[in-house]
Amino acid sequence: MNFEAGLGEGGWDDDGALQAALGRTAEELGLALPELDGRWGRLAEYVDAGSGRRVVVCPPDEGQRTFRVRLQGYRAPLACGWTSDLAEVVRATAAWTGGAGLEETRARAPFIRFRPWALAHEREPFGAVELTWLVKLDRVHNPPYDRHPRAHALLAAAYAQPVLRQLMPVNSHFNLWFSTSVEEFWRRKARIGYVICPYDEGLYGVWNDGELLARTETPEEAVALVVAALPEGIGPAR
């Protein structure tokens, strides 16, 4: 079913319009979809209760004609894609929630895209710290995060440092800091080192407890200041 055929009278802005269109398309294709998570209004979110695999379908934004589809599983968002074809959306949803792997799901719905780390994680799951880094670094490939190259450059510079790569990266408004805790990484007592702000008057600001320590022109320089101030013998996040 194409974009126009699935569109209801109220357009895609109406709560339930996308879910209804996908339901009709699945019935026409003879495919079964899991139950909807109905909390999100305009979104269509499907969850397989047994595996925990999830598919989130977003309706088109203003002026666009494509649906965004995100596949989640193994504790991470693993793949996504854009298409104007509701049948393609249903095929991807049915495949992923039905137990198909990433490669098989893409074979059934070629618009789905994923990068090598996701395939590696599907085959042999990464630990929590490495997975968190990979998910954050991967965001640069998808909107709206692709509009923030400075924030991505900061993450990449930090990931290049082995001592930081073993800590949990934590973001808020694109600012970056590090934690020694896997489960409670937001807690202040688990924070280690300085905070780096990638949008600090056009530079990279390095802060400690609300005090500006320095502004640098490159993310590598900012990261080097953080690394230099870390205590010796710091172990991996736990």
Side-chain angles (χ1 to χ4, degrees):
M1 181 181 290
N2 61 28
F3 186 91
E4 288 81 4
L7 189 61
E9 292 183 3
W12 299 116
D13 288 334
D14 286 358
D15 286 357
L18 178 58
Q19 296 93 323
L22 289 171
R24 292 192 300 270
T25 304
E27 185 175 354
E28 292 171 5
L29 294 174
L31 294 174
L33 299 179
E35 287 191 14
L36 275 162
D37 184 335
R39 295 174 295 169
W40 307 115
R42 293 177 67 237
L43 302 181
E45 186 164 357
Y46 300 89
V47 183
D48 177 67
S51 66
R53 291 185 177 200
R54 185 180 299 265
V55 176
V56 180
V57 185
C58 302
D61 293 330
E62 185 177 354
Q64 296 184 347
R65 296 170 60 83
T66 56
F67 307 96
R68 181 187 181 193
V69 180
R70 185 172 72 246
L71 310 185
Q72 299 175 202
Y74 305 97
R75 302 175 291 120
L78 296 180
C80 67
W82 288 259
T83 180
S84 60
D85 190 340
L86 282 168
E88 286 253 287
V89 176
V90 168
R91 291 189 187 100
T93 302
W96 182 246
T97 58
L102 287 171
E103 291 180 314
E104 184 180 351
T105 298
R106 183 171 61 185
R108 298 186 193 178
F111 76 96
I112 290 295
R113 295 289 181 268
F114 51 85
R115 273 159 288 283
W117 75 265
L119 197 60
H121 178 61
E122 179 184 41
R123 293 169 176 168
E124 186 174 349
F126 295 110
V129 174
E130 179 71 0
L131 180 59
T132 300
W133 274 106
L134 292 171
V135 170
K136 288 181 180 294
L137 287 164
D138 194 59
R139 289 176 178 173
V140 73
H141 298 287
N142 300 312
Y145 300 101
D146 58 348
R147 298 195 294 268
H148 298 279
R150 291 178 63 87
H152 176 72
L154 176 57
L155 277 169
Y159 186 71
Q161 295 290 333
V163 67
L164 296 179
R165 196 161 59 239
Q166 67 179 339
L167 301 173
M168 284 288 284
V170 189
N171 292 106
S172 177
H173 296 84
F174 302 108
N175 299 331
L176 175 66
W177 66 91
F178 308 92
S179 175
T180 58
S181 174
V182 172
E183 298 294 335
E184 299 182 323
F185 52 85
W186 279 101
R187 298 191 65 173
R188 188 173 182 82
K189 68 178 184 179
R191 183 182 298 182
I192 187 80
Y194 303 148
V195 178
I196 307 177
C197 306
Y199 296 101
D200 197 333
E201 297 188 5
L203 301 171
Y204 293 86
V206 182
W207 294 74
N208 183 39
D209 291 330
E211 178 185 357
L212 176 64
L213 303 180
R215 289 192 177 103
T216 69
E217 292 187 357
T218 70
E220 289 79 11
E221 291 173 309
V223 167
L225 292 175
V226 173
V227 171
L230 289 175
E232 293 185 6
I234 183 173
R238 300 185 184 280

